[in-house]
């Protein structure tokens, strides 16, 4: 049972406080929490300075094993902890777009329930307010407070389905903001309770009617990959979501099957999915919410190839560094690869950089972030970036080499190899349209040099 929720800005200011039970939690707990965050940040800065000086002393590739062990231990210690025990409370925290969601309790409860609820709150607010930052929350304080009123009751999660919340509380728009200024009433709360709140399928109302019935299924995937300096694929996996956009009359009962469901790991389902058909036959049986929602998420591990390659070559001598980067297609997915970007951070010891590309545009920001925008790979030449980096006075060679972050997008292909088989509906309404799409983009795609 949660007792209080706080929303904190990136400076530690309490933007919103929501007491959930009769036991009031004092705001001093936020000051204690923020002191812990600041102290961990200062210690981590000192630790990073120690690591950088060690790299300069030994060289990046000659760091002793004992130092790597200390490095790993410090990373585990200073990594953001989702659950913290204070002298008086247990604290659950997540951070989204600079906003810290902090929940407090003094009673025993499953920690994952508190963390999952905070994630639901962050997702709902981001969906309602079309973004999530300090200014948006302050401008829509009343709506945020009303949403928390409906999402949790006496410390226990209640209504977290976005479709039902939209029927209770209208999302903000220009008209509602103008009316609130004129009438002085800033509440968007509906006068009637949605009928689905008392239904066995609380994510859907029973009186939905459409002239054209349609349902679309999208496979949206992100590829995470790590490629070491020798060009060897160390890790490659795909995180995917099955997104459904349903506009069907009544209360439809759908079944969705896959051609190769065995490749999926770490599956997570929307509450509408019946677990028994999946457990026995790997079939998704569900009554969908109305509109767009995430039906399930999954992960496909240990993939053997990536669609594109990035080959960096960095050599340094006599205070200068030569950079050459080539990008090309490794395995053709059969669809156009576009929005290709290569981004890397220049080391702090680099005074200036002169980089050019035979295709695309190269930009270097004041914080030494270099971005090479390629978009699509031409057929007549291989995109290449080259140039020189000028090092600090007295530094002969480059000891800290950059990591290249690669971005891309592919329409019409799921790189995991997952394939949809068929989508069936028990009671077929008249004029039902069905559609399937696939989309893959890069996630954490790193090439080390």
């Amino acid at each position: 049972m949660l007792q209080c929720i706080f929303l904190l800005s990136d400076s530690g200011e309490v933007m919103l406080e929501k007491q959930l039970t009769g036991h009031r939690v004092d705001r001093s707990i936020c000051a204690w929490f923020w002191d812990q965050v600041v102290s961990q940040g200062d210690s981590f800065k000192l630790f990073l300075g120690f690591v950088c000086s060690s790299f300069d002393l030994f060289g990046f590739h000659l760091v002793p094993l004992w130092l790597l062990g200390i490095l790993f231990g410090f990373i585990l210690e200073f990594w953001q902890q989702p659950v913290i025990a204070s002298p008086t409370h247990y604290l659950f925290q997540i951070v989204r777009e600079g906003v810290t969601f902090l929940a407090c309790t003094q009673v025993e409860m499953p920690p994952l329930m508190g963390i999952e609820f905070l994630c639901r709150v962050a997702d709902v607010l981001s969906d309602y307010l079309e973004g999530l930052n300090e200014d948006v929350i302050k401008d829509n304080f009343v709506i945020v407070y009303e949403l928390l009123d409906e999402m949790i009751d006496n410390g226990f999660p209640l209504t977290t389905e976005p479709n039902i919340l939209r029927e209770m509380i209208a999302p903000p728009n220009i008209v509602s903001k103008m009316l609130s200024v004129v009438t002085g009433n800033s509440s968007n709360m509906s006068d009637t309770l949605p009928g689905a709140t008392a239904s066995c399928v609380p994510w859907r109302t029973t009186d939905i009617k459409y002239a054209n019935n349609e349902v679309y299924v999208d496979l949206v995937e992100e590829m995470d990959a790590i490629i070491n300096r020798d060009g060897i694929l160390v890790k490659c996996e795909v995180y995917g979501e099955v997104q459904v956009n349903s506009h069907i009359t009544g209360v439809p009962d759908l079944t969705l099957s896959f051609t190769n469901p065995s490749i999926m790991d770490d599956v997570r389902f929307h509450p509408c999915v019946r677990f028994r058909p999946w457990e026995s036959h790997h079939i998704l049986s569900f009554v969908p919410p109305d509109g767009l929602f995430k039906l399930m998420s999954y992960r496909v591990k240990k993939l053997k190839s990536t669609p594109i390659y990035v080959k960096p070559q960095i050599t340094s001598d006599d205070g200068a560094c030569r950079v050459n980067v080539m990008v090309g297609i490794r395995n053709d997915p059969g669809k156009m690869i576009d929005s290709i970007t290569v981004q890397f951070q220049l080391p702090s010891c680099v005074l200036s950089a002169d980089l050019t590309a035979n295709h695309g545009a190269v930009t270097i920001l004041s914080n030494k972030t270099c971005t090479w925008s390629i978009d699509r790979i031409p057929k007549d030449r291989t995109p290449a970036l080259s140039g020189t980096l000028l090092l600090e006075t007295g530094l002969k060679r480059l000891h800290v080499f950059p990591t290249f972050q690669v971005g891309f997008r592919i329409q019409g292909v799921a790189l995991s190899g997952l394939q949809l088989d068929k989508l069936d509906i028990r009671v077929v309404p008249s004029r039902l349209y069905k559609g399937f799409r696939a989309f893959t983009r890069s996630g954490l795609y790193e090439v080390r040099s």
Side-chain angles (χ1 to χ4, degrees):
M1 180 179 69
L2 299 177
Q3 295 174 330
C4 186
I5 293 179
F6 297 98
L7 268 62
L8 309 180
S9 67
D10 55 3
S11 61
E13 175 194 358
V14 179
M15 297 185 293
L16 184 142
E17 171 186 346
K18 176 63 175 172
Q19 300 290 338
L20 305 175
T21 63
H23 173 78
R24 187 181 185 279
V25 180
D26 193 81
R27 282 196 178 191
S28 59
I29 194 67
C30 297
W32 181 91
F33 166 77
W34 200 253
D35 288 341
Q36 297 296 311
V37 173
V38 172
S39 63
Q40 284 190 356
D42 293 340
S43 301
F44 195 54
K45 288 179 181 178
L46 293 174
F47 164 66
L48 286 179
F50 166 71
V51 171
C52 292
S53 61
S54 301
F55 285 166
D56 292 337
L57 177 63
F58 295 104
F60 182 78
H61 304 291
L62 300 176
V63 178
L65 292 177
W66 61 266
L67 183 57
L68 292 178
I70 294 176
L71 169 64
F72 183 71
F74 268 87
I75 288 176
L76 289 180
E77 179 179 355
F78 293 113
W79 197 260
Q80 185 187 58
Q81 299 177 359
V83 182
I84 302 175
S86 76
T88 57
H89 295 79
Y90 291 105
L91 307 180
F92 308 97
Q93 63 143 338
I94 66 168
V95 180
R96 296 282 184 87
E97 304 296 335
V99 178
T100 300
F101 294 79
L102 185 67
C104 310
T105 186
Q106 286 181 312
V107 301
E108 290 290 337
M109 63 172 290
L112 287 179
M113 186 184 79
I115 297 169
E116 176 64 21
F117 177 73
L118 291 180
C119 291
R120 290 286 184 95
V121 171
D123 292 339
V124 168
L125 293 184
S126 180
D127 180 49
Y128 252 78
L129 308 178
E130 298 181 352
L132 192 60
N133 56 55
E134 181 179 346
D135 294 333
V136 169
I137 290 177
K138 289 182 177 179
D139 292 342
N140 299 276
F141 177 86
V142 174
I143 290 181
V144 174
Y145 209 89
E146 289 175 343
L147 286 171
L148 289 177
D149 265 337
E150 299 299 332
M151 294 184 70
I152 191 165
D153 180 42
N154 198 33
F156 293 96
L158 184 63
T159 304
T160 59
E161 184 60 44
N163 295 321
I164 303 303
L165 289 172
R166 285 180 176 272
E167 295 186 33
M168 295 181 178
I169 305 168
N173 53 48
I174 296 178
V175 176
S176 63
K177 290 182 179 179
M178 292 179 61
L179 288 176
S180 66
V181 173
V182 175
T183 62
N185 180 18
S186 57
S187 175
N188 287 15
M189 186 74 70
S190 173
D191 295 331
T192 59
L193 188 66
T197 55
S199 169
C200 59
V201 283
W203 51 85
R204 184 180 182 88
T205 59
T206 59
D207 56 351
I208 300 176
K209 294 182 179 180
Y210 288 103
N212 295 321
N213 297 278
E214 54 190 16
V215 56
Y216 301 104
V217 180
D218 293 338
L219 286 181
V220 181
E221 296 188 341
E222 284 189 358
M223 172 172 279
D224 298 337
I226 298 177
I227 302 170
N228 66 13
R229 59 177 310 192
D230 298 323
I232 299 175
L233 187 63
V234 177
K235 169 190 171 183
C236 185
E237 63 182 30
V238 164
Y239 170 80
E241 295 180 355
V242 179
Q243 298 180 358
V244 178
N245 195 356
S246 169
H247 299 282
I248 304 177
T249 301
V251 184
D253 198 329
L254 306 179
T255 56
L256 177 65
S257 59
F258 300 91
T259 303
N260 48 350
S262 59
I263 67 173
M264 291 188 287
D265 292 316
D266 303 336
V267 292
R268 295 178 61 190
F269 302 108
H270 188 277
C272 69
V273 176
R274 304 180 181 98
F275 186 66
R276 191 176 297 276
W278 173 264
E279 189 178 31
S280 57
H281 304 293
H282 282 181
I283 294 176
L284 295 176
S285 175
F286 59 98
V287 176
D290 186 53
L292 179 64
F293 69 101
K294 181 172 70 174
L295 179 65
M296 70 173 293
S297 64
Y298 59 90
R299 196 175 298 274
V300 179
K301 303 177 180 179
K302 297 181 180 179
L303 297 178
K304 302 299 183 182
S305 62
T306 58
I308 62 177
Y309 67 82
V310 177
K311 296 181 178 179
Q313 292 182 347
I314 301 178
T315 58
S316 59
D317 194 15
D318 295 333
C321 183
R322 183 69 182 173
V323 178
N324 288 282
V325 183
M326 297 178 60
V327 178
I329 297 178
R330 184 188 303 274
N331 293 298
D332 192 351
K335 297 288 184 178
M336 178 64 68
I337 306 175
D338 58 12
S339 301
I340 300 175
T341 60
V342 178
Q343 186 179 84
F344 59 97
Q345 184 76 32
L346 297 176
S348 58
C349 59
V350 174
L351 295 179
S352 62
D354 181 17
L355 301 174
T356 58
N358 65 352
H359 180 78
V362 180
T363 57
I364 302 177
L365 302 180
S366 58
N367 62 355
K368 295 187 178 180
T369 300
C370 179
T371 302
W372 179 21
S373 300
I374 302 173
D375 194 19
R376 297 180 178 179
I377 296 178
K379 296 181 179 180
D380 56 344
R381 64 180 181 273
T382 300
L385 178 144
S386 60
T388 56
L389 308 177
L390 181 62
L391 305 181
E392 291 178 344
T393 305
L395 190 62
K396 295 295 185 180
R397 301 176 62 85
L398 189 65
H399 298 294
V400 180
F401 294 90
T403 298
F404 295 82
Q405 307 284 343
V406 183
F408 61 85
R409 186 179 63 182
I410 309 175
Q411 295 276 6
V413 171
L415 290 181
S416 66
L418 183 66
Q419 296 180 351
L420 297 175
D421 184 20
K422 59 182 178 179
L423 176 66
D424 293 328
I425 182 170
R426 287 188 179 179
V427 180
V428 181
S430 59
R431 300 167 63 182
L432 175 66
Y433 301 96
K434 297 185 289 186
F436 302 91
R437 292 186 304 183
F439 171 75
T440 302
R441 58 174 174 260
S442 61
L444 183 61
Y445 194 113
E446 293 185 351
V447 178
R448 297 170 180 174
S449 60

